[in-house]
Amino acid sequence: MAQTATKYVFVTGGVLSGLGKGITAASIANLLKARGLTVNLQKCDPYLNVDAGLLNPREHGECFVTKDGAETDLDLGHYERFIDQELTQASSLMSGRVLLKVIQDERDGKYEGKSVQIIPQVTGVIQDYIAEAGKGADVHIVEIGGTVGDYESLSFIEAIREFSMRVGRENCLYVHLVYLPYLGASKETKTKPAQNSVRELRGLGIAPDILMARSEDAPNESVKKKLSLFCGVPEEAIALLPNASSIYNVPLTLEDSGITNVIIDRLKLDAAEPDLTTWRAMVKQATTKFDKTITVGIVAKYLDNADTYLCVFEALKAAAWWNNVNINIEWVDAAALGESKDVAADLAAYDGVVVPGGFGTRGVDGKIKAAQHALTNKLPYLGLCYGLHMAVIAAARLHGLDKANTTEVDPATPDPLISTMEGQAGKENTGGTMRLGNYDCELAPDSLAAKIYGSTSIVERHRHRYECNPKYVDQYQSWGIKAVGTNPATNLVEVIEAIDHPFFLASQFHPEFKGRPTSAHPMFDGFIKATLA
């Protein structure tokens, strides 16, 4: 239902980081879309990076890639999964990008000699990016990264305060997410940190319309009365969000709290009755305890943070529950596996192994050993980007090319099975220069890949600089593998699979970026089915 003007919902967070602003923003978008409204989402991140491409995955989690090739924060993955909608570069805004624009405009003389300041130049550019991203949507939901009070976030907070004057306060709604700690000694939920956070936000000129309170366990409903009194937010505009058994429960919790109606009334939205049938069916699958359980090993080197491979985990879990099976996902330290004298024993507990994307030399030997073990023992194997490189090298080494390698690891290898893309030499340490975003892939009609996709023409997202060296593709058959997917424009290898194997499949692209909780992605669905065979 078209609205007369785009409405804006701004989501901020206080008390501490990691509360789940991204899940909250995505849940609001989910519920509004379920009522027939067109929505868009945007993450405003205070880091001085231009994009997320060079952020350390150990600290920040995975880098999510949009269809048009933007390297973004992982929250955009949550956004896409919750609204089943492909986003673009416009949905990701970092401080570095804003400052680059301001400085370039100053150098180009666009400020006509005026002093360049945080207000109004920087805040003005932020507002321009928000307005542009919101075009065409009934409701545009904007998440402000960081915690209220952080120095880095101040320009974004000021920008969204000013934005209400730009588009009208009646077209803006502010949601603030806070934390309610529980003191075991006195057996009470404390609201003082939340009160202080709201006071700080008010001090910056923004009075929240809605308050969402996170907690470990469900607090007493009387907490709402206290929050309302001291924070100046009506009780009906306060939602309590204790830890959920699944993040996909959050939209349903918000819907049951009545918050959606508060948003609709406050913004005067012309909305239909919600249709959450598909979402409720998915949540039921996601939270069901099935009779059978499988265990999958993720052979990787970034073991500190599960968010490093968040999309892979979510795609695996979705494929498992849609196949009516529980899944245990366990880390396999690639570096330790590389030193192992008994790989078979190390991988004996797994029904299948996944080698996800990655960069650099550490852990390479372990990933190759995992692929070799899967090849020779008919163990289901799923290789994602770097996992394809490791699979090709593993097959070649099993058939006599002992020094076969990727030039990323060994630039002097006599058999460079994987090499730098044409035009990429010398750019190995720079951002935004890889093959990024959607590319076409044509699958061989008689391939396993075509069978699981149910099509020979697919489109998937990429993030890589190294490719399968075309000079060696003719030898694949003798190594027991074959290239079954290629890019029609470049003829570069996109998918390989083993010739005599129930499921040994690897892709140059990252299928996890297009994973959705409401349906299993074909690559992951095929992998899970293979572990059950």
Side-chain angles (χ1 to χ4, degrees):
M1 299 180 183
Q3 307 298 316
T4 55
T6 299
K7 309 287 185 174
Y8 298 86
V9 175
F10 296 102
V11 179
T12 56
V15 182
L16 45 82
S17 61
L19 287 182
K21 292 189 303 297
I23 299 295
T24 301
S27 297
I28 292 170
N30 174 295
L31 294 171
L32 294 176
K33 188 171 182 179
R35 291 178 181 249
L37 296 161
T38 58
V39 299
N40 196 26
L41 286 134
Q42 184 177 29
K43 173 73 178 285
C44 292
D45 227 320
Y47 295 119
L48 293 178
N49 303 72
V50 174
D51 58 35
L54 298 178
L55 291 177
N56 189 331
R58 281 183 174 151
E59 296 177 21
H60 303 280
E62 73 179 356
C63 174
F64 185 81
V65 178
T66 59
K67 66 178 182 179
D68 57 348
E71 295 176 287
T72 75
D73 179 84
L74 60 80
D75 275 324
L76 267 76
H78 288 313
Y79 299 167
E80 288 205 3
R81 286 188 288 275
F82 273 64
I83 64 173
D84 191 15
Q85 187 173 308
E86 290 192 307
L87 302 177
T88 67
Q89 180 177 304
S91 288
S92 179
L93 181 63
M94 284 188 154
S95 285
R97 187 171 160 206
V98 172
L99 296 177
L100 272 180
K101 176 73 166 64
V102 171
I103 292 168
Q104 190 59 57
D105 284 351
E106 188 272 338
R107 292 290 81 191
D108 290 343
K110 293 183 180 179
Y111 295 122
E112 299 178 343
K114 294 177 183 176
S115 299
V116 179
Q117 300 173 280
I118 298 297
I119 304 170
Q121 280 81 17
V122 172
T123 54
V125 167
I126 292 171
Q127 292 174 58
D128 289 344
Y129 276 122
I130 291 173
E132 182 64 28
K135 282 183 178 178
D138 293 330
V139 186
H140 184 49
I141 298 100
V142 182
E143 175 194 351
I144 306 300
T147 305
V148 169
D150 293 346
Y151 286 119
E152 294 91 344
S153 300
L154 289 175
S155 58
F156 284 105
I157 297 295
E158 172 61 18
I160 65 173
R161 183 195 71 81
E162 295 173 12
F163 199 81
S164 68
M165 295 183 285
R166 174 170 174 166
V167 301
R169 183 65 177 88
E170 69 280 6
N171 293 318
C172 291
L173 182 138
Y174 297 97
V175 176
H176 192 50
L177 188 66
V178 293
Y179 183 67
L180 302 177
Y182 177 78
L183 292 186
S186 58
K187 294 182 172 54
E188 59 180 333
T189 300
K190 308 300 289 186
T191 64
K192 186 62 72 176
Q195 295 175 38
N196 290 340
S197 179
V198 171
R199 185 179 299 116
E200 186 153 20
L201 185 62
R202 285 178 176 274
L204 296 172
I206 295 175
D209 300 291
I210 289 176
L211 199 61
M212 296 194 183
R214 287 278 291 109
S215 60
E216 296 299 308
D217 300 302
N220 193 294
E221 281 287 321
S222 62
V223 165
K224 278 190 179 183
K225 187 178 293 294
K226 191 172 183 180
L227 286 171
S228 177
L229 178 64
F230 288 101
C231 297
V233 178
E235 282 189 56
E236 64 271 17
I238 299 174
L240 302 179
L241 293 173
N243 283 352
S245 58
S246 167
I247 57 172
Y248 302 117
N249 260 320
V250 177
L252 303 183
T253 301
L254 288 180
E255 180 66 21
D256 293 343
S257 74
I259 285 295
T260 321
N261 290 329
V262 173
I263 294 173
I264 289 169
D265 291 344
R266 170 67 178 74
L267 292 176
K268 295 181 172 56
L269 294 166
D270 183 12
E273 287 299 308
D275 181 4
L276 291 164
T277 307
T278 300
W279 196 261
R280 290 187 188 278
M282 178 273 293
V283 171
K284 182 179 179 181
Q285 286 293 113
T287 54
T288 294
K289 183 70 174 176
F290 301 104
D291 294 333
K292 186 172 177 58
T293 300
I294 58 171
T295 302
V296 170
I298 305 288
V299 185
K301 64 178 181 178
Y302 302 122
L303 311 180
D304 316 63
N305 186 349
D307 283 353
T308 304
Y309 300 107
L310 181 62
C311 282
V312 176
F313 277 49
E314 292 303 314
L316 283 170
K317 289 188 287 187
W321 71 55
W322 287 117
N323 278 285
N324 299 315
V325 63
N326 310 308
I327 184 170
N328 290 327
I329 303 174
E330 297 183 1
W331 294 114
V332 179
D333 188 335
L337 194 64
E339 300 294 326
S340 176
K341 302 300 182 184
D342 193 351
V343 174
D346 294 329
L347 300 180
Y350 304 113
D351 298 295
V353 293
V354 177
V355 177
F359 297 92
T361 60
R362 189 169 64 86
V364 163
D365 288 341
K367 295 175 183 180
I368 293 172
K369 284 184 176 181
Q372 288 178 329
H373 175 79
L375 261 173
T376 56
N377 292 277
K378 303 292 193 284
L379 182 68
Y381 175 94
L382 181 61
L384 310 172
C385 196
Y386 209 45
L388 176 140
H389 299 171
M390 299 299 101
V392 172
I393 295 167
R397 289 187 182 181
L398 283 172
H399 290 80
L401 274 69
D402 296 338
K403 295 184 179 180
N405 217 322
T406 164
T407 56
E408 181 176 5
V409 173
D410 180 8
T413 175
D415 289 301
L417 270 55
I418 310 297
S419 56
T420 310
M421 291 163 46
E422 186 177 350
Q424 291 291 299
K427 298 182 180 180
E428 287 79 4
N429 294 316
T430 58
T433 58
M434 295 182 280
R435 187 146 72 107
L436 293 162
N438 279 5
Y439 284 87
D440 295 330
C441 173
E442 291 297 323
L443 300 173
D446 59 346
S447 65
L448 171 64
K451 179 181 178 182
I452 66 171
Y453 270 98
S455 174
T456 56
S457 297
I458 62 173
V459 179
E460 291 282 3
R461 295 186 202 170
H462 297 64
R463 184 182 185 242
H464 62 96
R465 181 173 287 112
Y466 294 84
E467 301 273 1
C468 291
N469 190 333
K471 296 177 182 178
Y472 288 86
V473 175
D474 288 345
Q475 298 181 46
Y476 284 9
Q477 196 90 3
S478 65
W479 304 339
I481 61 174
K482 55 183 176 180
V484 298
T486 56
N487 176 265
T490 62
N491 209 37
L492 290 169
V493 174
E494 294 277 1
V495 182
I496 66 108
E497 61 187 49
I499 292 170
D500 183 22
H501 197 291
F503 192 95
F504 188 96
L505 194 62
S507 65
Q508 181 64 83
F509 47 78
H510 288 267
E512 67 271 22
F513 290 148
K514 293 182 73 172
R516 299 287 186 264
T518 48
S519 61
H521 186 285
M523 291 276 283
F524 292 90
D525 183 56
F527 174 71
I528 296 298
K529 280 182 167 61
T531 66
L532 294 169

